[in-house]
Amino acid sequence: MTSRTSRIAALLAGLFLAFSMVAIDHAEARRGGSFGSRGTRTFQSAPPTRTAPAPTAPVERSMTPNTGVNNAARQPQAGLQRPGFMSGFGGTMMRGLLLGGLIGLLVGHGFGGLAGMFGFLLQALLIGGAIMLAIRFFRSQSARGPAPALAGVGNAQASRFENRATAKQETGTAGSFTIPGFGGGSGGGHEATRSEEITLAQADLDAFQQLLTEVQEAFGREDHAALRRSVTAEMVSYLSEELADNAQKGLRNEVSDVTLLQADIAESWREDDRDYATAALRYESRDVMRERASGKVVEGDQDHPTETTELWTFTRQNGSNWKLSAIQEA
């Protein structure tokens, strides 16, 4: 029965892997997912906006270390007591040795074997001490556990974001700037982060709109030099990896005619000498996947633009030019 179940499981796993490879051949060749860095807010959800009202998952791939993991789960619970030495596997073995020795003593040698009993007890204590050390060693190893996985944001954080966005809509408040297509204001209330909220100017929003077009078109041209001017080094590594993967599969992702339709600033803040701003962008573009050899379109429609909504995070240091530092699917 076990072997039959194993064979069925192996067959299903093989079918799933084969299907995944076929699906990845084209669908996963397109840029997708959430990657990059948002400073100390990398593993927090961005506040919802009119452009992206649904909660957005935190960044999935990032070079920023996650230091916000809750270690409470690793601590022993207060209501639980550690098992004593005479409980568990060590206690069972010790009790068995003592019981067997006493029965052998009384049945085989009577009280004349008292010296033998003392010798047996000494041996049992030595064996018990070795067992206790082994148990402590394995407990210390298991207590360390595996490396912590990246943690997301809890429901309480998402609720605060939703309440803040609802309050803004009810009161009609917005940021200190206005621009066609842009609305909302900077998010706030991140008590757990070492940052302060900042106000953006019209020039900042113009830079974000320009970067949207420059990054998309540079990616479509496979222009690595242009990408390095517009995105952070971490984003260059992710985008270059994707371009290399497309080339290996004989594909080319062509992006053109990028037009911004609507945008909101979800939050903007400063950490030391670095500024960050996350914007929800809804735009349309002609985005197709072509075969490199023949130029044949294998995915997308070159005659009709497609609409996309994403969260882009931009960063700058000491007032320098803004660069793209993260992309999240909305």
Side-chain angles (χ1 to χ4, degrees), residues 181-313:
F182 275 86
S186 60
H190 291 269
E191 298 83 3
T193 60
R194 302 181 303 275
S195 60
E196 58 177 342
E197 307 303 320
I198 61 174
T199 301
L200 300 178
Q202 180 73 37
D204 300 321
L205 304 178
D206 293 340
F208 299 161
Q209 186 169 355
Q210 183 178 357
L211 282 171
L212 170 68
T213 301
E214 291 178 354
V215 171
Q216 292 283 12
E217 293 184 351
F219 183 83
R221 298 192 309 269
E222 299 184 346
D223 189 342
H224 294 269
L227 286 175
R228 284 192 293 270
R229 290 192 299 268
S230 303
V231 307
T232 61
E234 178 181 0
M235 291 296 288
V236 168
S237 67
Y238 294 138
L239 297 176
S240 297
E241 178 184 354
E242 199 166 325
L243 291 175
D245 186 58
N246 289 344
Q248 185 178 6
K249 295 175 181 177
L251 301 173
R252 180 188 182 97
N253 192 182
E254 186 178 281
V255 185
S256 60
D257 298 335
V258 181
T259 303
L260 180 65
L261 303 177
Q262 182 180 349
D264 295 306
I265 299 299
E267 53 185 348
S268 54
W269 70 99
R270 175 171 296 136
E271 299 176 7
D272 297 329
D273 60 347
R274 183 173 291 277
D275 296 338
Y276 291 89
T278 296
L281 307 176
R282 182 168 64 87
Y283 61 92
E284 65 179 14
S285 62
R286 298 184 188 275
D287 189 348
V288 297
M289 191 72 71
R290 296 181 182 273
E291 290 183 351
R292 285 181 174 273
S294 63
K296 176 183 176 182
V297 175
V298 297
E299 186 178 352
D301 188 348
Q302 61 182 347
D303 297 324
H304 298 88
T306 57
E307 189 173 303
T308 305
T309 301
E310 294 174 327
L311 267 70
W312 284 35
T313 297

Side-chain angles (χ1 to χ4, degrees), residues 75-89:
Q75 303 298 327
Q77 299 181 10
L80 299 180
Q81 296 182 353
R82 293 184 59 184
F85 174 67
M86 292 301 290
S87 62
F89 175 76

Side-chain angles (χ1 to χ4, degrees), residues 135-216:
I135 291 175
R136 287 184 177 177
F137 173 78
F138 288 117
R139 279 179 182 166
S140 64
Q141 293 297 318
S142 62
R144 294 179 183 176
L150 299 182
V153 175
N155 293 331
Q157 182 78 32
S159 299
R160 287 199 297 271
F161 288 156
E162 293 173 0
N163 294 337
R164 188 183 304 118
T166 302
K168 285 184 179 180
Q169 294 176 359
E170 292 176 352
T171 58
T173 58
S176 59
F177 52 84
T178 57
I179 178 174
F182 275 86
S186 60
H190 291 269
E191 298 83 3
T193 60
R194 302 181 303 275
S195 60
E196 58 177 342
E197 307 303 320
I198 61 174
T199 301
L200 300 178
Q202 180 73 37
D204 300 321
L205 304 178
D206 293 340
F208 299 161
Q209 186 169 355
Q210 183 178 357
L211 282 171
L212 170 68
T213 301
E214 291 178 354
V215 171
Q216 292 283 12

